Amino acid sequence: MKLQDLKQLNDASLKDKSIELRKELMGLRFQRVTGQVEKTHQFRVARRTIARIKTLLVQRTKTV
């Protein structure tokens, strides 16, 4: 997801999205271990999106 899209979500939605991405990342790790992963770039995308969400949440708590 783009940063602009994430900024439009509220804190609860961001936390839900983060949990969803962590589950996806865990599934990708299992696929990698079993040799079934096809889209290796998804690891990078998921990790970076999680980092963006965490950054946004911290920024929002500091500005309030």
Side-chain angles (χ1 to χ4, degrees):
M1 285 186 95
K2 300 269 185 178
L3 186 59
Q4 294 290 352
D5 299 334
L6 293 174
K7 284 184 177 181
Q8 295 174 356
L9 299 175
N10 59 12
D11 289 350
S13 297
L14 285 174
K15 289 177 184 178
D16 291 341
K17 185 70 175 169
S18 176
I19 292 169
E20 176 185 324
L21 286 168
R22 287 180 189 184
K23 288 180 182 180
E24 178 184 337
L25 192 57
M26 186 177 64
L28 286 170
R29 287 182 183 139
F30 283 126
Q31 287 179 4
R32 181 172 50 188
V33 169
T34 59
Q36 296 175 351
V37 68
E38 295 177 4
K39 299 178 183 178
T40 56
H41 71 281
Q42 288 300 103
F43 288 100
R44 183 176 176 180
V45 171
R47 282 195 318 263
R48 287 188 176 192
T49 306
I50 291 169
R52 284 186 187 112
I53 290 171
K54 285 182 176 182
T55 302
L56 273 175
L57 290 172
V58 168
Q59 286 176 350
R60 288 181 182 179
T61 59
K62 287 187 176 183
T63 57
V64 173

